[in-house]
Amino acid sequence: MEFSSLSHFTVVMVAFGLAMDAFAVSVSSGLAMRNMMRVGQAFKIALYFGIFQGVMPVIGWMAGTGFRKLISAYDHWIAFGLLAGVGIKMIYESTRLGGNKVFNGPPNLYLLLALSVATSIDALAVGLSLSFLRVSIITPSVVIGLITFSLSLLGVYVGGKVGHFFEKKIEMVGGLILIAIGIKILIEHLA
């Protein structure tokens, strides 16, 4: 089984696109904790988001490797569909009214686990896409996890300082990035 690799730029852009959900929730967390901010709490939130965001693509990739032979003729369409679908979902959620993610105080363990899973479901779909494209998952998974960790840590501090001004716009940018990468994959395979 031979694996290809994505360009470093593509891996980083996918990672940034996927991290936008976690960053937006981290901003909300920082906003909720602004009067009781602790370094340990910010690190804990970032660690959970980073680990889940790094592991979910591996799970998706492993699931997809079993289906690869069945769909090899149109795998690039599936990758495009998944990335575009996730991107459209992120854009839609960024425009919904009343989609307030703010909670009061630091998240407890159950809330943190739920938020980590919720923000990393998109990474599962991306891992599935990468398996169809026969891309090795190790480097993308590590990069996705590290970028998510870093942006989530930054998000908690930004949320504590400037609040809710740009949370929804960040999700929209992440969605646009994923759609653009899906289009790029489709064009490369059709050309």
Side-chain angles (χ1 to χ4, degrees), residues 20-70:
M20 291 301 123
D21 249 0
F23 181 73
V25 173
S26 298
V27 168
S28 293
S29 299
L31 178 64
M33 299 185 316
R34 68 178 170 260
N35 296 328
M36 52 189 126
M37 180 73 69
R38 302 277 189 278
V39 173
Q41 292 166 336
F43 187 80
K44 182 178 176 184
I45 291 167
L47 188 62
Y48 272 75
F49 287 167
I51 288 172
F52 274 79
Q53 203 78 289
V55 169
M56 289 296 239
V58 174
I59 294 169
W61 185 87
M62 290 170 63
T65 56
F67 298 112
R68 190 180 316 131
K69 289 180 184 174
L70 299 172

Side-chain angles (χ1 to χ4, degrees), residues 24-172:
V25 173
S26 298
V27 168
S28 293
S29 299
L31 178 64
M33 299 185 316
R34 68 178 170 260
N35 296 328
M36 52 189 126
M37 180 73 69
R38 302 277 189 278
V39 173
Q41 292 166 336
F43 187 80
K44 182 178 176 184
I45 291 167
L47 188 62
Y48 272 75
F49 287 167
I51 288 172
F52 274 79
Q53 203 78 289
V55 169
M56 289 296 239
V58 174
I59 294 169
W61 185 87
M62 290 170 63
T65 56
F67 298 112
R68 190 180 316 131
K69 289 180 184 174
L70 299 172
I71 58 167
S72 62
Y74 48 93
D75 54 6
H76 51 282
W77 284 102
I78 293 172
F80 164 73
L82 287 170
L83 289 171
V86 168
I88 289 167
K89 176 183 149 283
M90 289 175 71
I91 292 168
Y92 171 74
E93 289 177 356
S94 74
T95 61
R96 280 191 353 198
L97 295 175
N100 197 350
K101 296 178 183 170
V102 177
F103 47 90
N104 294 321
N108 62 36
L109 177 64
Y110 300 110
L111 179 58
L112 191 52
L113 285 172
L115 290 172
S116 297
V117 170
T119 58
S120 63
I121 293 296
D122 298 344
L124 182 90
V126 168
L128 189 64
S129 300
L130 295 179
S131 75
F132 295 152
L133 298 173
R134 293 177 188 84
V135 171
S136 175
I137 194 63
I138 295 169
T139 300
S141 178
V142 170
V143 171
I144 289 167
L146 289 174
I147 287 177
T148 301
F149 171 82
S150 301
L151 288 179
S152 296
L153 189 61
L154 176 66
V156 173
Y157 285 104
V158 167
K161 299 293 181 195
V162 297
H164 231 329
F165 293 117
F166 55 91
E167 175 187 0
K168 294 293 185 180
K169 291 181 178 111
I170 289 169
E171 266 187 282
M172 185 176 287

Side-chain angles (χ1 to χ4, degrees), residues 165-186:
F165 293 117
F166 55 91
E167 175 187 0
K168 294 293 185 180
K169 291 181 178 111
I170 289 169
E171 266 187 282
M172 185 176 287
V173 169
L176 291 171
I177 289 170
L178 293 179
I179 291 169
I181 290 168
I183 291 169
K184 177 183 177 284
I185 287 169
L186 189 60

